[in-house]
Amino acid sequence: MNIPEQYSDTISRSELFADIPPDMLADILDRGRRQHIKAGEILFHEGDHADRCYLVLKGRLKLSKLHGQGKEAIIHYVEAGAVIAAVAVFKGKRFPVTARAMGAAEAIGWDRDAIMELISEYAQFAINLLRFAIDRIEELQTRYLELAVEQVERRIARALLRIMRQSGRKTGEGIEIEFKISRQDLADYTGSTLYTVSRTLSNWGKRGWIKSGRQRIVIINPHALVSFSETD
Amino acid sequence: MNIPEQYSDTISRSELFADIPPDMLADILDRGRRQHIKAGEILFHEGDHADRCYLVLKGRLKLSKLHGQGKEAIIHYVEAGAVIAAVAVFKGKRFPVTARAMGAAEAIGWDRDAIMELISEYAQFAINLLRFAIDRIEELQTRYLELAVEQVERRIARALLRIMRQSGRKTGEGIEIEFKISRQDLADYTGSTLYTVSRTLSNWGKRGWIKSGRQRIVIINPHALVSFSETD
DNA sequence: CATGTTGTTTGCGCCGGCGCAAAGATATAA
DNA sequence: TTATATCTTTGCGCCGGCGCAAACAACATG
């Protein structure tokens, strides 16, 4: 595999390659397989045999977990530079979530044997994988706490802010969420419902804090959201 | 540090040392520091500088996360053999949770430098750390889903079953939870309230599914709880 | 353009679960 | 034993958030 020139920036910025010298980096990339995922396509399904671990090069993926009767929780929105499915490091394990591309996406995948080799050869690689895992644990713990103790509207505010920080783009109006996100998506992400999210966003729109349309949200006044999520 | 003979069983069974030969094991243990924690004492506080990572040798620890106004979520109950605070591997990070001993406990702690050395010297050690991290991610994702989509009583049932599997002991009456656990604890663990938990346990007691007293729960009919948590 | 599809809003009613309060039960100390 | 603290139970009332239903709005397709 050639080193994908157009993603050299994403790659060098990814925590996965922190403190890894260029020649090792080239070797590591070389042992992976590049993969294209079309918009809406699924990279892997929850429950499938986890045989491969990925670095996201381009685009965004939605990691979600299903529960009977069509209910679903969105576990994580993943950006370029992130590692997913590190679970594939362990033989016999299955993917605990489903990964769906939200737009055209691209990734490098390493199969189990390749990862194991890389870990034994480059200690730093193992540490970097561990870093991703621990960051995920921290985020999950934080969101678990929120879900357990905070009211719905607060959770929605925090979710919006978290997504904004991760995937926000400055525009003339304010900070726009870069990907399509429906009321249902936000509900699945916050453990709420389509209706409650709609009412809440509607309310914030009237107050001028945000502007929202079909699958589109612009945060006009982040500070108002922050103080709403903290005060009272 | 001498190899603690009385815990050789816990140590050899711990996933942390899976596929690690005895001589390496001795070396790894040797570089750690043994620590005793009295009942109710705190091993580390959320927010403190994370300088040390632990393997629990004896006893149980409660990992919890605080939220304003005395609200608290119990993130995890930890048994002997588990690794906690792997976050200490990374410079500058802070403990994301508080660890409190539920009875007299004992642990081996490695400081950051020691862990980094161990990882570079023993690739398998890094993999084993990664395994703990990934197991935690999976459990958190599962509990997050539950909290997001399931009703309170179902969550309480699942929580009881999870704790039973991890810390249950067969007695004449049924399977007893080995540590003291109050209604408030269960509420903090399930994202509910003292009152709702009490009413629920009371109800299950009347049906003969469980028997419960002050900080004590015996599961008489696990099957009933399982089907309650799944059906309908 | 017309037509179908998918996403959003909002009125309305309902109920699961919360939280107070007060009494009862169980443990610890004196 | 009595006293004190802590934990548990349960009646009662309330309300945040859910979920239906129906209308509306935005996009896709040919």
Side-chain angles (χ1 to χ4, degrees):
Chain A
M1 186 187 72
N2 300 323
I3 299 172
E5 275 295 334
Q6 74 261 47
Y7 302 132
S8 59
D9 197 54
T10 298
I11 289 172
S12 60
R13 262 214 288 263
S14 174
E15 285 193 336
L16 184 59
F17 299 120
D19 299 311
I20 289 192
D23 55 328
M24 293 188 187
L25 172 53
D27 178 40
I28 291 174
L29 291 175
D30 218 47
R31 301 201 211 172
R33 206 184 78 185
R34 216 158 140 195
Q35 254 173 280
H36 294 258
I37 314 115
K38 294 199 193 95
E41 239 178 41
I42 287 177
L43 181 57
F44 51 82
H45 282 92
E46 176 180 355
D48 281 0
H49 179 69
D51 53 353
R52 183 163 291 185
C53 165
Y54 303 90
L55 168 69
V56 180
L57 284 182
K58 190 195 105 180
R60 286 183 184 83
L61 293 163
K62 184 169 91 173
L63 304 188
S64 60
K65 209 167 159 64
L66 282 176
H67 193 263
Q69 286 83 35
K71 287 183 179 175
E72 158 175 27
I74 294 174
I75 302 293
H76 202 74
Y77 283 113
V78 166
E79 299 277 308
V83 172
I84 56 176
V87 67
V89 176
F90 304 108
K91 196 162 54 183
K93 285 230 174 191
R94 293 170 180 283
F95 295 116
V97 296
T98 297
R100 163 173 268 128
M102 307 184 62
E106 220 168 314
I108 303 185
W110 292 269
D111 60 27
R112 199 183 113 77
D113 293 343
I115 301 173
M116 298 301 272
E117 283 171 27
L118 289 171
I119 288 176
S120 355
E121 288 171 45
Y122 306 119
Q124 188 61 45
F125 190 76
I127 292 171
N128 291 351
L129 275 181
L130 202 48
R131 162 169 282 127
F132 271 101
I134 285 169
D135 285 349
R136 287 283 294 280
I137 289 175
E138 287 199 48
E139 192 195 321
L140 277 167
Q141 286 174 344
T142 301
R143 286 184 54 203
Y144 188 86
L145 176 66
E146 280 180 19
L147 196 48
V149 308
E150 290 205 295
Q151 317 221 88
V152 172
E153 290 195 332
R154 299 273 202 101
R155 300 205 302 268
I156 298 172
R158 284 175 184 274
L160 264 190
L161 291 168
R162 183 178 298 115
I163 294 171
M164 179 195 81
R165 286 184 201 108
Q166 193 182 279
S167 316
R169 186 188 31 155
K170 257 209 171 103
T171 70
E173 298 176 298
I175 301 166
E176 176 164 11
I177 309 249
E178 284 200 298
F179 56 86
K180 292 195 176 193
I181 183 166
S182 69
R183 306 293 183 266
Q184 183 65 57
D185 286 333
L186 256 181
D188 292 341
Y189 188 69
T190 56
S192 173
T193 63
L194 163 60
Y195 310 108
T196 300
V197 170
S198 177
R199 280 184 262 265
T200 303
L201 294 192
S202 203
N203 178 6
W204 292 345
K206 279 167 197 155
R207 300 199 207 176
W209 295 359
I210 66 168
K211 228 178 151 186
S212 74
R214 188 189 169 94
Q215 304 194 87
R216 180 178 158 277
I217 302 175
V218 184
I219 288 105
I220 295 171
N221 189 345
H223 186 66
L225 282 182
V226 169
S227 71
F228 173 87
S229 77
E230 287 173 352
T231 62
D232 180 31
Chain B
M1 187 187 70
N2 300 324
I3 299 173
E5 274 295 334
Q6 74 262 46
Y7 302 132
S8 60
D9 198 53
T10 298
I11 289 172
S12 61
R13 263 213 288 263
S14 174
E15 286 192 335
L16 184 59
F17 300 120
D19 300 310
I20 288 191
D23 54 327
M24 292 187 187
L25 173 54
D27 178 41
I28 291 175
L29 290 174
D30 218 48
R31 302 202 210 171
R33 206 184 76 185
R34 216 159 141 195
Q35 253 173 281
H36 295 258
I37 315 115
K38 295 199 192 93
E41 238 178 39
I42 287 177
L43 181 58
F44 52 80
H45 282 92
E46 177 181 354
D48 281 359
H49 179 68
D51 54 352
R52 185 162 289 187
C53 164
Y54 302 89
L55 168 69
V56 181
L57 283 182
K58 191 195 104 180
R60 287 183 185 83
L61 294 162
K62 184 169 92 174
L63 304 188
S64 61
K65 210 168 159 63
L66 282 176
H67 193 262
Q69 286 82 36
K71 286 183 180 176
E72 158 175 26
I74 294 174
I75 302 293
H76 203 73
Y77 282 113
V78 165
E79 298 278 308
V83 172
I84 55 175
V87 68
V89 175
F90 304 109
K91 197 162 50 184
K93 284 229 173 193
R94 291 167 182 283
F95 295 115
V97 297
T98 297
R100 163 172 268 128
M102 308 183 61
E106 219 168 315
I108 304 184
W110 292 270
D111 59 28
R112 199 182 113 77
D113 293 343
I115 301 172
M116 297 303 270
E117 283 171 27
L118 288 172
I119 288 176
S120 356
E121 288 172 45
Y122 306 120
Q124 188 61 44
F125 190 75
I127 293 170
N128 291 351
L129 275 181
L130 202 47
R131 161 170 283 127
F132 269 101
I134 285 170
D135 285 349
R136 288 284 295 278
I137 289 176
E138 286 200 48
E139 192 195 321
L140 277 167
Q141 286 174 343
T142 301
R143 287 184 54 202
Y144 187 85
L145 176 65
E146 280 179 19
L147 195 49
V149 308
E150 290 206 295
Q151 315 221 90
V152 170
E153 290 196 333
R154 300 273 204 102
R155 300 204 303 268
I156 298 171
R158 285 175 183 273
L160 264 190
L161 290 168
R162 184 178 297 114
I163 294 172
M164 179 195 82
R165 286 185 201 109
Q166 193 182 278
S167 315
R169 186 187 31 155
K170 256 207 171 106
T171 70
E173 298 176 298
I175 302 166
E176 175 164 12
I177 308 247
E178 285 199 298
F179 55 86
K180 292 196 176 192
I181 183 166
S182 68
R183 306 294 182 265
Q184 183 66 57
D185 286 333
L186 255 181
D188 292 341
Y189 189 69
T190 55
S192 172
T193 64
L194 163 59
Y195 310 106
T196 300
V197 170
S198 176
R199 280 184 261 265
T200 303
L201 295 191
S202 204
N203 179 7
W204 293 345
K206 279 168 197 154
R207 300 199 206 176
W209 296 359
I210 66 168
K211 228 176 151 186
S212 75
R214 188 190 170 95
Q215 305 195 86
R216 179 178 158 278
I217 302 175
V218 183
I219 288 104
I220 294 170
N221 188 348
H223 186 65
L225 282 181
V226 170
S227 71
F228 174 86
S229 76
E230 287 174 351
T231 64
D232 177 33

